[in-house]
Amino acid sequence: MASFNTMAGCFLASALFAMVVGKVSNALVSVHPLEKPAIAVAEAAPEAAGAAKPAELPPIGPKLKDANVQHGEALFKQQCFTCHTIDKGGVNKVGPNQWDILGRKKASHEGFSYSSALQQKGGEWSYEDINHMIAKPQAFVRGTKMAFAGLAKEQDRADVIAYLRTMHDDPKPPLP
Ligand code: HEC
């Protein structure tokens, strides 16, 4: 009951606030028409903030099950190889070597100077994390050095991840 009252109180308070703002803005508009756009921007702000949130990606697991490894390899050569080698013991280029990336601790490849943003991300590279990283690096790790626009197509990402999964020494992490 208490919380209902609180909520009702909040609602009333915001309704009152809206009324007051309405009155004030009317007054301002009549005095000075230029105030109107400023108020319109303030009212639109919550929506704009919502739209700026990174889009939720559906889980990649179902797409991985029938992913095309050959297509993934071709995509890797086209899209990733400029910056990443993937052979075992391969050099770091603009980005770190990708051998054994699945299950590897983030920002842990020897000899590569990672951004502090990626170093602070923490955890290991799961299927989902790589999915997010290659969909939109900046949305997943704000401030990452990976200057890559992203693979927009879900099946392309699944194919690349399926290929990454084959470049691995240990038993591969089970599919999600
Ligand atoms: C323009 C260069 C560039 C391209 C293209 C690029 N990357 Fe990267 N990538 C980087 C850099 C630089 C980093 C290090 C990011 C940091 O330190 O913030 C990185 C980091 C990564 C990481 C994390 C590595 C780790 O050790 O934690 C993964 C995974 C990754 N890239 C996968 C890919 C895949 C897959 C592609 C292709 C679909 C790709 N990248 C395309 C530059 C690139």
Side-chain angles (χ1 to χ4, degrees), residues 76-95:
F76 188 92
K77 292 207 167 111
Q78 276 169 24
Q79 306 270 343
C80 321
F81 189 71
T82 359
C83 300
H84 295 288
T85 63
I86 192 161
D87 52 320
K88 190 174 185 179
V91 295
N92 295 324
K93 299 206 277 183
V94 175

Side-chain angles (χ1 to χ4, degrees), residues 6-22:
T6 316
M7 278 168 62
C10 284
F11 177 76
L12 268 178
S14 40
L16 270 173
F17 180 70
M19 279 168 64
V20 170
V21 168

